[in-house]
Amino acid sequence: MSKTESLQGSLDLLVLKILSRRPGLHGYAIMTAIQILTEDVLRVEEGSLYPALHRMEEAGWVRARWITKDTGRRARLYELTRAGQRRLAAEESRWQAVSLAIDRVMRMA
Amino acid sequence: MSWVSRVVNVFRGDRLNREIDEELQSHLEEAREAGRDPAEARDALGSRLRLREASRDVRLVAWLDSLRADAVFGWRQLLKRKLTSAVAILSLALGIGACTSAFRLIDALLLRPLPVSDPGQLYALARQVVDFDGKLHSSGDWAYPDFELMRKAAGGQAELIAVSYADRTDLTFGSDEEMEKAYRQYVSGYMFSSFGLRPAAGRLFTAADDAKPAAAPYAVISYNYWASRFGRDPRVVGRTFRIGDKLYQIVGVAPDGFTGTEPGTMIDIFLPVMMHPGVLHSDWEWMRTLARIKPETAMEPLRARLDATSRAFEEERAKGFSGMPKEEIELFLRQKLVIQKAGAGASDLQDNFRVSLAVLGALVALVLLIACANVANLMTAQAEARAREMALRVSIGAGRRRLIQLVLVESSWMALFAAALGAAFAWWSAPLAVGMLSPPEDPTRLFLPMDGRVLSFGLVLTVVVMLLMGCAPALRASAVRPASTLKGGENPRSRRRLMHALIAVQAAFCFLVLFVSGLFVATFQHLSHQPTGFSATGVLTLETVASQPQLPAIWDQVTEHLRQVPGVESVSLASAALMSGSSWNNFISVNGAPPNSILAYMLSASPGWLDTLKIPLLEGRDFLATDAYPGAAIVNQTFARTYFGSQDPVGKPFVVIFGQGQQLKFQVVGLVGDVTYRDAREPILPQTYFPFHQIDARGALQPLAHGTFIVRTSGANPMALASLLRREVPRARPGFRVSNIRTQTSINESHTVRERLLARLGLFFGLVALLLAAVGLFGMLDYSVIQRRKEIGIRMAIGAQPGDIAWRVIASVLTMVVAGAGVGLALGFAVARYVQSLLYQVKPTDLAMLAAPTVTIFAAAILAALPPVLRAVKIDPAQTLRSE
């Protein structure tokens, strides 16, 4: 792992957000999307992505389906559910509140 | 979606694994296509096994999954050892089944609330008195006039309800030839509304049916009777039937499930209490008094008020007791009224069997505990064989909790199978046990549902059994120390200590069961071999009714006719059969002295009655055809001793004093041997027999409507003649009808029904307990011989004698058996006083009572120890030591 920030608790938020913009991504694509969008600042620990996706699936925020690609391999694509959209909204506003608060502290100091 | 899918995923675990693997694989492929180095991508992803586990845990219910895995594993373990598993399951099944069966019986008879509204508010009134010998007598018998007074005294606080004892009666919907039997109960009309019952058809009784005596010739039939006798025909309402000379009209059907207030008897026909012939008699106690008492009522003031009312009634009545000894009157008036809970109804069967069933329940519970100890020992022994497996599990990271779960799941497999088999056993055996509660001609009819109550009992029992047999091995397994076990030698002593303790427990319980059942068997032996003074074998008794009272000469004609029937040796006539339950007693006065306080018991009999029953005539003569009542009397030895002392009674006069002050004179014409009048348990009663022919004050012979023919047959089975005799009676004289035929033997045996039940079931469970304990001991010894093969081999190699070896093998176990038997003995003495009331001429401290279980247990122990000991002394040291 290079000098990139670990995602800690915000992995759910990023995954939900990305899936809300671009439904039907597989795990690898989600991971790449995070790296590209954050310009490599944030990097997903590849191992922790799948348990997180499966957890969100069990929670009913995302749903998955299998497709067969042109190469003949199967891939598992994820997309947001209604519950996932509500969750995303909640997570987003929570995140904004937190980052605003941190921002305020930074400016004061 | 979530928890359902997670539960579902538990049962499609393989597919889940494949999907997760495939997804991870697809991730790596993507990485390769993106130009990354495959090895680097694999490293970045991390351990796929760990990832799979992490994903699995979020996608299914982890504990359920581990449970499923353990269940599969436990099932395989069970199959691996088919024989031992089968033995374990069978013994547990027997225990669980017997316990459930006992519960069904106890619940149905004693606990189950009557199907009425608020059964918790239902009580029964009884009277108790401590007699001069310090014995407590309790009676629930009441006279209707007394009841009426108490009902008024209770006011608004309690509603008193009169219900007669259930009885079996003859009735007919057509002619006399179509007589049939039905169970009847007289009840207060308002009972139905008070119980919140609604008719299934027609109407039920109301308070209007209680208005005045003999004015409401109506009947309500039970749903059960409606279904079985009439196929639920709604036209039954309005039909009439006849009991004796009274006609009744059916007005309605009681709701399904309500079969009267006497558990053990299912009522067919309810009649208004006002139709009972005793309703105006102050001295005729033929009914119970039930009470519905509101929950907030203060009991003691209510009780005191009822007590005072009833006492005033009895004091008034006692003024008319001329001729009754003073102390008897005093005892009679000392009775105290008590209010007892009766939510489950009130019946004699309950009183008779309350203690017996509790004791039997305790016995089967002990048998179940023995079976549990057995299986626990078995599993502990097997845990030894699996110690390495357990150690391995611990060392690769299985938690202790998981190991406990593993063993408990295995034991719940066994408990589950045992419960299923046990349920079948209970289903089959409970009705069988009910059949043993009463003599065959008057069977107990008990509603025995397999409902929620029984099921929840079975369920709780199964869980308890699972924990009892699984806990010890589970804790053992979880306490395994991998370091020493995997090295190959955990100290086996600690394991053996547990097994030894279980052996001691088994021996103690086994002793207790054998001891108590020994008491019951001895009681039954004593009672059934108690001499009755007359010969019952081959004797039939025919209770006979004449549609119109007939003169004695007509009865004699029928007697004569029956004598001509082939296979009949002799026939005589009596007012009732001996020991049949009918009883007639009065006080006796000799030489004008005040009456003796001892009651004399009476029976009328025709000439030849002594011969038919082979009662020895000691002095004087039998009745002659010319003898009549009142006048001649035959007395037994106890009568002679009681009232005439050492004098020769023959030729002496005595006076019988009747309750209303009437006195009749008799002269003794014969002295006969003592016979049992009522019950073999009580001492021989003073008895006097009177001629069957009765004359009134003017000397005219009196017609009679009832009599019992006593018939001695020559064949081995008197019942073979029953149907022939039943036909011959009306042929001899139209209008005569046999209402009941019983052999004298079955009458005698009906008094020992409870003792027979206790002896039979006690013996059965005693044997089962012994068998289980022996099997347990055998298993334990066999295991320890295998365990100590090495040690025994070394000992033999350095010169130990077979005797030493045998002693070494059994010494510790024998000690445990001795210790257990000692504890069992102490327990036996402790519980003996609880069963004292069920015993007859048996003292728990008798040497024979103690010797029998002791000898049996040690004989069984030695027998069980024999094969393992033989195996031990046959060990070939060379071979054993080489193989290690």
Side-chain angles (χ1 to χ4, degrees):
Chain A
M1 233 34 49
S2 54
K3 283 205 177 68
T4 48
E5 298 301 318
S6 129
L7 281 171
Q8 300 293 354
S10 22
L11 179 60
D12 284 8
L13 174 60
L14 294 186
V15 169
L16 290 173
K17 186 75 193 172
I18 287 169
L19 284 178
S20 77
R21 292 277 170 76
R22 299 162 60 185
L25 292 184
H26 51 64
Y28 195 85
I30 295 172
M31 186 194 74
T32 353
I34 292 175
Q35 278 167 13
I36 292 170
L37 288 174
T38 63
E39 292 167 352
D40 264 354
V41 174
L42 295 180
R43 185 180 259 266
V44 184
E45 263 185 68
E46 291 176 42
S48 57
L49 177 64
Y50 289 96
L53 279 170
H54 294 151
R55 184 165 40 73
M56 286 189 267
E57 187 185 351
E58 284 307 327
W61 303 338
V62 301
R63 74 175 148 253
R65 65 194 151 90
W66 286 98
I67 56 143
T68 311
K69 295 177 65 168
D70 305 338
T71 55
R73 268 195 302 106
R74 295 211 305 159
R76 204 158 190 254
L77 304 187
Y78 293 86
E79 61 193 18
L80 224 53
T81 63
R82 281 274 175 78
Q85 282 161 5
R86 282 197 297 277
R87 180 74 193 180
L88 173 61
E91 289 273 311
E92 255 181 308
S93 60
R94 193 179 63 87
W95 174 257
Q96 266 152 19
V98 170
S99 71
L100 215 69
I102 294 176
D103 217 31
R104 215 174 287 142
V105 174
M106 290 301 138
R107 263 179 292 165
M108 245 170 61
Chain B
M1 130 116 184
S2 78
W3 72 263
V4 178
S5 80
R6 286 171 66 198
V7 169
V8 169
N9 278 342
V10 166
F11 300 98
R12 43 185 285 255
D14 287 342
R15 188 161 156 215
L16 195 62
N17 281 348
R18 272 202 312 278
E19 284 193 355
I20 295 171
D21 284 348
E22 194 176 355
E23 191 174 10
L24 295 175
Q25 187 59 39
S26 134
H27 176 95
L28 293 177
E29 298 284 344
E30 293 287 342
R32 198 175 51 79
E33 276 172 23
R36 284 168 65 184
D37 175 35
E40 178 268 333
R42 254 202 305 280
D43 286 350
L45 195 59
S47 156
R48 288 182 45 189
L49 207 59
R50 200 172 54 78
L51 281 182
R52 191 215 276 176
E53 282 296 307
S55 282
R56 257 181 90 88
D57 283 355
V58 299
R59 293 190 57 183
L60 46 69
V61 188
W63 61 263
L64 192 61
D65 188 44
S66 73
L67 212 59
R68 185 196 56 86
D70 289 349
V72 171
F73 185 78
W75 175 243
R76 290 196 190 125
Q77 288 285 330
L78 227 56
L79 285 184
K80 227 159 68 183
R81 321 167 305 248
K82 285 198 184 68
L83 185 69
T84 42
S85 307
V87 170
I89 288 171
L90 272 182
S91 53
L92 286 176
L94 192 60
I96 291 179
C99 280
T100 310
S101 196
F103 173 79
R104 285 180 74 190
L105 213 58
I106 291 172
D107 182 51
L109 184 60
L110 302 171
L111 306 177
R112 186 174 290 268
L114 291 180
V116 303
S117 61
D118 301 316
Q121 299 176 12
L122 198 58
Y123 296 81
L125 304 189
R127 281 176 289 190
Q128 294 181 337
V129 68
V130 177
D131 72 7
F132 300 116
D133 301 329
K135 232 173 102 189
L136 178 77
H137 294 265
S138 185
S139 159
D141 307 351
W142 297 94
Y144 194 78
D146 193 6
F147 163 82
E148 274 288 2
L149 293 175
M150 290 194 295
R151 191 165 78 93
K152 289 188 188 97
Q157 283 188 315
E159 184 173 34
L160 265 50
I161 300 167
V163 293
S164 78
Y165 294 98
D167 71 341
R168 197 153 167 252
T169 182
D170 285 337
L171 62 87
T172 176
F173 288 88
S175 69
D176 264 1
E177 282 67 48
E178 296 161 289
M179 277 288 172
E180 52 192 280
K181 299 264 179 198
Y183 290 89
R184 110 185 120 170
Q185 187 175 29
Y186 292 91
V187 298
S188 290
Y190 51 84
M191 176 194 80
F192 289 104
S193 63
S194 172
F195 282 175
L197 300 173
R198 299 185 175 285
R203 71 164 178 99
L204 301 177
F205 297 142
T206 62
D209 295 299
D210 301 326
K212 57 182 202 276
Y218 305 122
V220 166
I221 62 175
S222 73
Y223 192 92
N224 214 30
Y225 189 60
W226 189 40
S228 60
R229 174 69 177 75
F230 299 103
R232 292 197 190 85
D233 182 359
R235 285 169 304 175
V236 76
V237 176
R239 280 191 69 170
T240 56
F241 61 86
R242 188 161 56 79
I243 299 177
D245 52 4
K246 275 188 195 142
L247 266 180
Y248 292 91
Q249 186 182 33
I250 296 175
V251 293
V253 178
D256 195 7
F258 182 75
T259 56
T261 58
E262 307 233 330
T265 311
M266 289 188 186
I267 300 299
D268 299 319
I269 290 176
F270 297 97
L271 300 176
V273 81
M274 277 297 162
M275 296 306 289
H276 193 281
V279 82
L280 292 176
H281 291 261
S282 295
D283 56 349
W284 199 345
E285 293 179 346
W286 52 273
M287 45 161 268
R288 290 179 200 281
T289 298
L290 301 182
R292 276 182 89 82
I293 301 175
K294 298 199 178 69
E296 67 274 10
T297 309
M299 286 300 226
E300 182 47 32
L302 176 65
R303 189 207 67 77
R305 202 160 64 242
L306 294 175
D307 194 28
T309 310
S310 170
R311 192 183 308 273
F313 171 82
E314 297 293 14
E315 271 166 4
E316 188 58 35
R317 185 157 84 89
K319 286 179 190 158
F321 289 171
S322 62
M324 189 164 154
K326 254 167 83 183
E327 54 268 42
E328 288 294 319
I329 297 181
E330 187 195 323
L331 198 64
F332 174 74
L333 291 177
R334 220 163 59 196
Q335 298 185 98
K336 183 184 172 206
L337 184 143
V338 290
I339 301 178
Q340 297 165 333
K341 285 225 156 241
S347 71
D348 291 344
L349 198 72
Q350 286 182 334
D351 298 337
N352 250 332
F353 281 97
R354 186 165 279 123
V355 181
S356 317
L357 288 183
V359 170
L360 278 179
L363 286 189
V364 294
L366 285 178
V367 169
L368 179 61
L369 287 177
I370 293 176
C372 282
N374 239 359
V375 179
N377 252 353
L378 198 77
M379 290 180 64
T380 313
Q382 274 161 2
E384 176 68 23
R386 287 168 60 188
R388 278 161 183 270
E389 171 205 327
M390 293 294 174
L392 204 62
R393 283 173 185 272
V394 170
S395 48
I396 61 173
R400 306 271 178 207
R401 262 191 54 200
R402 192 62 206 281
L403 283 191
I404 292 178
Q405 181 184 317
L406 184 72
V407 179
L408 280 184
V409 164
E410 204 183 320
S411 66
S412 34
W413 266 123
M414 284 204 252
L416 223 67
F417 277 107
L421 278 177
F425 181 74
W427 180 76
W428 168 79
S429 63
L432 220 62
V434 169
M436 292 169 78
L437 294 182
S438 306
E441 54 288 345
D442 186 19
T444 294
R445 302 204 301 170
L446 213 50
F447 183 49
L448 274 178
M450 278 283 226
D451 63 355
R453 289 169 73 92
V454 178
L455 284 182
S456 21
F457 176 83
L459 208 67
V460 169
L461 193 67
T462 306
V463 171
V464 168
V465 162
M466 185 201 87
L467 291 177
L468 273 180
M469 68 180 183
C471 259
L475 292 175
R476 285 262 124 201
S478 72
V480 74
R481 282 186 301 277
S484 64
T485 308
L486 288 178
K487 244 186 292 165
E490 202 193 359
N491 177 14
R493 269 176 207 282
S494 59
R495 202 177 290 280
R496 249 185 259 146
R497 260 203 303 277
L498 173 74
M499 295 175 72
H500 280 160
L502 286 175
I503 290 284
V505 167
Q506 280 187 318
F509 287 169
C510 188
F511 187 94
L512 189 57
V513 173
L514 285 176
F515 174 68
V516 174
S517 55
L519 295 177
F520 291 152
V521 169
T523 293
F524 180 60
Q525 290 280 337
H526 284 168
L527 260 181
S528 51
H529 289 116
Q530 187 76 3
T532 55
F534 63 91
S535 158
T537 38
V539 172
L540 270 180
T541 69
L542 282 65
E543 281 173 42
T544 305
V545 188
S547 52
Q548 298 296 321
Q550 299 289 340
L551 286 171
I554 309 287
W555 284 90
D556 289 345
Q557 276 174 20
V558 179
T559 312
E560 199 49 51
H561 180 95
L562 292 181
R563 284 198 182 114
Q564 309 309 319
V565 174
V568 169
E569 263 183 16
S570 72
V571 182
S572 52
L573 193 52
S575 53
L578 282 172
M579 298 175 75
S580 65
S582 94
S583 153
W584 170 26
N585 56 42
N586 278 303
F587 291 103
I588 300 289
S589 160
V590 174
N591 291 334
N596 193 309
S597 70
I598 301 172
L599 283 165
Y601 287 77
M602 296 149 191
L603 190 81
S604 31
S606 71
W609 178 76
L610 297 174
D611 283 343
T612 308
L613 289 175
K614 300 193 176 157
I615 299 170
L617 179 67
L618 303 175
E619 248 183 276
R621 60 167 176 86
D622 190 3
F623 290 131
L624 304 172
T626 49
D627 285 326
Y629 170 96
I634 293 174
V635 301
N636 73 347
Q637 288 169 297
T638 306
F639 185 97
R641 213 173 32 250
T642 310
Y643 303 108
F644 297 106
S646 53
Q647 295 174 329
D648 178 4
V650 175
K652 297 235 159 49
F654 65 88
V655 169
V656 177
I657 295 160
F658 290 85
Q660 299 79 23
Q662 187 197 7
Q663 302 195 348
L664 292 178
K665 281 201 190 77
F666 290 87
Q667 189 178 27
V668 179
V669 298
L671 173 69
V672 295
D674 279 340
V675 301
T676 306
Y677 184 87
R678 276 194 309 210
D679 189 338
R681 268 179 217 79
E682 59 189 7
I684 297 288
L685 298 166
Q687 290 160 51
T688 170
Y689 313 112
F690 301 135
F692 191 76
H693 291 190
Q694 289 190 13
I695 47 174
D696 62 10
R698 291 188 306 273
L701 282 165
Q702 295 297 297
L704 294 162
H706 296 273
T708 298
F709 293 103
I710 313 292
V711 180
R712 177 169 289 281
T713 64
S714 51
N717 175 17
M719 269 325 246
L721 275 181
S723 54
L724 178 62
L725 289 172
R726 194 187 279 277
R727 282 197 306 275
E728 286 301 322
V729 167
R731 275 192 56 200
R733 181 79 195 186
F736 276 61
R737 185 177 56 79
V738 176
S739 85
N740 210 1
I741 294 193
R742 299 174 75 185
T743 64
Q744 184 69 49
T745 313
S746 86
I747 294 177
N748 292 11
E749 283 173 354
S750 71
H751 293 274
T752 50
V753 161
R754 188 176 74 186
E755 286 70 22
R756 181 198 312 266
L757 172 88
L758 287 171
R760 280 198 187 162
L761 294 185
L763 197 63
F764 174 69
F765 288 113
L767 290 177
V768 170
L770 193 68
L771 186 71
L772 289 179
V775 166
L777 193 65
F778 164 78
M780 156 74 197
L781 275 175
D782 202 46
Y783 156 79
S784 89
V785 167
I786 293 172
Q787 281 300 301
R788 296 167 70 183
R789 217 172 28 212
K790 199 163 39 168
E791 174 206 328
I792 294 171
I794 293 173
R795 283 181 191 280
M796 289 182 106
I798 58 173
Q801 293 301 305
D804 299 339
I805 300 292
W807 180 245
R808 280 198 170 273
V809 169
I810 58 169
S812 55
V813 173
L814 219 54
T815 319
M816 286 300 125
V817 174
V818 172
V823 173
L825 181 67
L827 286 174
F829 280 146
V831 301
R833 62 196 171 93
Y834 294 106
V835 298
Q836 192 67 54
S837 65
L838 302 174
L839 304 182
Y840 176 74
Q841 287 186 354
V842 175
K843 275 209 195 69
T845 45
D846 278 357
L847 200 60
M849 289 294 100
L850 297 173
T854 314
V855 169
T856 318
I857 279 198
F858 283 100
I862 288 167
L863 215 62
L866 214 54
V869 167
L870 285 179
R871 184 176 185 158
V873 298
K874 276 191 189 147
I875 283 176
D876 178 2
Q879 212 177 15
T880 314
L881 293 176
R882 205 181 304 135
S883 73
E884 286 289 332

